[in-house]
Every structure is written in structure tokens, then in C-alpha cells.
Amino acid sequence: MDLLEAIILGIIQGLTEFLPVSSSGHLEIAKVLFGDTSVPQESLTFTVVLHAATALSTIVVFRKEIAEIFKGLFQFKWNEEMQFSVKIILSMIPAVVIGLAFEKELESFFGGKILLVGFMLLVTAVLLLLADKAKNTNRSVSFKSSVIIGISQAIAMLPGISRSGATISTSVLLGVDRTKAARFSFLMVVPLILGKVAKDILSGDINFQSSEIVPLSAGFIAAFISGLLACTWMIALVKKSKLSYFSLYCAIVGLIAIGYSLFF
């Protein structure tokens, strides 16, 4: 992987991790267009680095909220922070169970399956359109809704289903306030990403080579900076009910991906 490709993929990851257009789907499309020739180990290493970068950007954007959560947790009371943390844990369970039980099956959906990506992007488009038309409320995420949102996050493991799009749309359709939905969506994925990164590193499947330091660093920085911008932008867009634009975008890209896989 050369330097320019690493930067472009980093920007794609950073933007699409937060914007509801599917980061995994766009990375799969980008790899096909670039004619990805990296071996699985190199591809895994790069993917882990990019996800670590977007997790860090989330932590930076929500640093005050995260600090308040930890402050509240150490009071060891059933306060708002403790309840929020329990909801985050509940939301993680579906993805953890499915991820561990069907790891090999999920991996089989990746690797240039552009037709699948295209159809899943169309599903994302429908979800975003429905959410954009939903009425706004002042409700917070409940314990029951956190589990349902977690299930949508698990489904979003499929390339082309936007994780942020699925979780925010599900939250809004359940009657959760849009701003609170975006906040919960972005914070709920941080433990999952960090856990996945730790698992991949501890498994011994990742080995950093000296020749990879420059492209990996460039990809990390690109994903981190674009992630900061996308996360902040997305919060404002959700608040203003602008999801329909992303719905149209996903529909267009999905149809192009389907056409590409069928005719090229």
C-alpha cells in the first residue's frame, strides 16, 4: 500500500465511520477500485489502525461527556452516569455475541463483494429516509431501547449497512431525541472498537513491519482528522433533520455498486 492510497483510505474511514453511509461498504468499494493486492494480514493491520484512529477521534469530541461518565461511575451510585454506562453495555451485547459466534461467517461477507454492499446501501438509504421523517422528541435512550439499538448495531456488521445510520435511525424511530441518539450512537461503539483492536493485537495476527510505519501513520492521521470533522458535523446534521441527503447518497452509490458488480 502506497502513501497516497493510505491517506485516501484513512479519509474514507474517518468520514464514513460517522457519516451514515457505511465505512465498511466504502472501504470495500475503494479496495476494489484501487485493485487491492494486500495480503490478509496487511489488510487487517491497516483496518485495525484506522478503527483505532476513529475511536480516538470520538473520545476527543466527547471528552467532556466521557469525563463526566467516569466521574459519576466512581461515585458508585445508581446515578445517571451509571445508568448510561449500563445502557452502553446492554447495547454492546448483541454485537459481541454475534461477532464472536459468527466471526468467520462475517469475514466471508468482505473481500470485494460489491453486489452485497450495493444492496445493503439501499437498506441504509431506506432507514435514513424513515428516520428523517420521524417526529423529534425529548426522550432519552431507555434500557429496552438500548438493546434494540444494539441489535441494529450488530446487523450493521454487514458491509454496506451504516453503523451510525442504523443506530441513529433506530433510536429516532424509537422516539429518542435526535441529539441524544447521535451521542449514544457514537459513544456506544468506542468500547467495541477498542475491544476489537485489543483482541486483534493480543491474538498475534497483527505484526507491524518497519516498511509499513509511514503508510500506517499517514492513514491513522488522515482517519483521525477526518473523523473529528465528520463526528462534529454529523451531530449538527442529525439535529437539523438532514438525513434525507445521506439517504439519497446511499441509494445512488448502492445502485452504482450493483451496476458495477453486474456489468464489470
Side-chain angles (χ1 to χ4, degrees):
M1 182 178 297
D2 59 37
L3 185 61
L4 180 60
E5 183 179 341
I7 293 174
I8 292 174
L9 289 176
I11 293 173
I12 291 174
Q13 169 65 26
L15 291 176
T16 57
E17 180 65 37
F18 300 102
L19 301 181
V21 294
S22 178
S23 60
S24 60
H26 277 71
L27 285 176
E28 288 301 304
I29 293 173
K31 287 178 180 179
V32 169
L33 295 178
F34 283 139
D36 184 32
T37 56
S38 59
V39 297
Q41 183 177 338
E42 292 172 340
S43 182
L44 173 62
T45 301
F46 191 68
T47 300
V48 168
V49 169
L50 295 187
H51 278 96
T54 50
L56 180 59
S57 64
T58 307
I59 293 171
V60 171
V61 172
F62 291 100
R63 59 190 180 280
K64 292 182 180 179
E65 289 88 344
I66 293 174
E68 287 297 321
I69 291 172
F70 277 105
K71 182 179 178 181
L73 285 176
F74 284 109
Q75 293 178 4
F76 300 104
K77 298 178 180 179
W78 189 244
N79 51 27
E80 185 179 343
E81 291 78 18
M82 181 65 76
Q83 292 178 40
F84 185 83
S85 299
V86 171
K87 292 171 186 175
I88 291 290
I89 293 172
L90 288 174
S91 73
M92 292 168 52
I93 293 175
V96 171
V97 171
I98 292 177
L100 292 177
F102 302 100
E103 184 175 8
K104 297 299 181 183
E105 288 80 2
L106 287 170
E107 288 178 357
S108 69
F109 290 121
F110 294 81
K113 294 191 171 50
I114 302 302
L115 183 62
L116 173 64
V117 171
F119 279 113
M120 293 303 101
L121 281 170
L122 295 182
V123 173
T124 297
V126 173
L127 281 174
L128 293 173
L129 188 61
L130 291 174
D132 200 59
K133 295 182 178 298
K135 293 182 179 180
N136 197 16
T137 69
N138 293 316
R139 289 171 54 187
S140 299
V141 177
S142 66
F143 291 101
K144 179 181 178 180
S145 60
S146 67
V147 175
I148 298 174
I149 296 167
I151 293 172
S152 70
Q153 177 169 248
I155 295 172
M157 289 180 176
L158 294 171
I161 298 287
S162 166
R163 192 207 64 80
S164 62
T167 53
I168 291 174
S169 295
T170 300
S171 301
V172 172
L173 291 171
L174 288 172
V176 177
D177 173 77
R178 293 176 183 273
T179 302
K180 293 175 181 177
R183 174 175 176 261
F184 189 79
S185 172
F186 295 146
L187 288 176
M188 69 187 284
V189 76
V190 173
L192 278 177
I193 292 177
L194 295 180
K196 181 67 166 60
V197 170
K199 176 180 177 294
D200 289 333
I201 293 175
L202 294 175
S203 67
D205 293 333
I206 297 177
N207 293 306
F208 294 97
Q209 304 296 327
S210 58
S211 60
E212 299 175 340
I213 293 177
V214 173
L216 286 175
S217 299
F220 181 92
I221 294 171
F224 174 70
I225 295 175
S226 58
L228 285 176
L229 297 173
C231 185
T232 305
W233 186 32
M234 186 59 191
I235 294 171
L237 289 174
V238 172
K239 192 182 300 184
K240 296 177 181 178
S241 302
K242 300 294 185 180
L243 296 178
S244 59
Y245 297 117
F246 294 104
S247 173
L248 178 61
Y249 173 82
C250 287
I252 293 172
V253 176
L255 291 173
I256 292 173
I258 293 172
Y260 180 90
S261 64
L262 293 176
F263 300 107
F264 295 95

